[in-house]
Amino acid sequence: LPALICKKRDGQRLEDQEIQSFVWGITSGTAQEAQIGAMLMAVRLRGMDAGETLALTRAMAASGQALEWPRSWHGRVADKHSTGGVGDKVSLVLAPALAACGCKVPMISGRGLGHTGGTLDKLESIPGFRVTLTPEEMLAALERVGCCIVGQSEELAPADRVLYGLRDVTATVDSLPLITASILSKKAAEGLSALVLDVKFGQAALFPTLEAARELAHSLVWVGQRLGIRVAAILSRMEQPLGHCVGNSLEVLEAIECLHGGGPEDLRQLVTLVTTLGGLLLWQCGLAGAATEGQGLLAQSLDNGSALGTFEAMLGAQGVPPNIAHSLCHGDPPERRRVLGEASVTEELLAP
């Protein structure tokens, strides 16, 4: 391993077998944390070419178990991933909306990374919500509800579990090959048919410029397609929070407003992003003749309440007591806030 670190430190290309050896060292526990951190920094400073990035992604995906789905679901297993933003609660709305339109969505999400919020942290503000499901429990949830939003299990891409945490404490979060491998190793292990990526750029994104975000989008699409996944990416601005709310339970409440078709003016941006991403996925899965038709189907699921009903069913499938799920989805705003709890002191901050 020290020889591989030296090789990458000096800007040389790593062979597929060398990358596999590094990943094996992570999962077997033979690689020291300091060595893994050193390799992360070497990759961050020296980069990886497309072939190296593909090899790293494949090795990380193969470090654990791959999920398998019934043959009848072929072509309809879909997921979305965002590179992270402030106030980004798209996943909470998109997963149930896609399921209401006929997709199977085994969404594997992450926790906060850097300054960006984590979908799992938001969902855990709901009493009883379980983000850890076994593959068998995921299958049962998808059969009954059509979607689940879970954390990475110990069996799924375990190498990424180690690297994800270490990237956050070694200032290597914004490394293009490491981002690509982290995102797509989990998606490859999910057994996806289609994937849409929301690659953000701007002051509050990991990549501040459009050019850098476009480079990441190309990397993700190129590697994803070679893993056998139908991948599309959109570029979206992250110059300001999505919606009005930032914070775990506040964002859950705002996502529920969106599922009701309501919310403040700023929330229209969230709805637009949900329908754009979802429309692409429905088209990729063959459930819509074009992306624009898919957008209409997604919007319809928000308007007719089917997405909200699926969200409530997902809460129940992931451990939320029925009375809490019902109050959260159908109660008035004060009742919803009581369910999630309120801070003893609140302050509203107004932007100029």
Side-chain angles (χ1 to χ4, degrees), residues 109-232:
S109 295
R111 298 196 178 276
L113 193 62
H115 67 275
T116 64
T119 298
L120 301 181
D121 304 314
K122 296 167 191 177
L123 286 168
E124 282 187 332
S125 70
I126 302 172
F129 193 95
R130 291 172 53 219
V131 300
T132 303
L133 298 183
T134 65
E136 294 74 24
E137 288 173 324
M138 288 180 69
L139 177 62
L142 292 184
E143 285 179 332
R144 195 168 51 133
V145 179
C147 66
C148 59
I149 303 178
V150 299
Q152 195 174 345
S153 69
E154 292 184 7
E155 299 89 0
L156 201 71
D160 181 63
R161 286 173 60 90
V162 177
L163 294 182
Y164 194 89
L166 287 176
R167 282 168 56 215
D168 201 25
V169 297
T170 55
T172 55
V173 168
D174 61 348
S175 166
L176 188 148
L178 295 178
I179 292 173
T180 301
S182 177
I183 292 171
L184 292 179
S185 61
K186 294 191 286 282
K187 302 309 177 187
E190 274 182 56
L192 294 182
S193 311
L195 172 66
V196 68
L197 298 155
D198 177 16
V199 182
K200 296 190 178 296
F201 65 96
Q203 293 182 65
L206 292 177
F207 289 90
T209 66
L210 176 61
E211 293 72 24
R214 183 176 282 118
E215 186 182 1
L216 174 60
H218 279 300
S219 173
L220 288 163
V221 171
W222 188 90
V223 172
Q225 288 175 341
R226 278 148 188 81
L227 295 172
I229 306 171
R230 294 194 296 274
V231 186

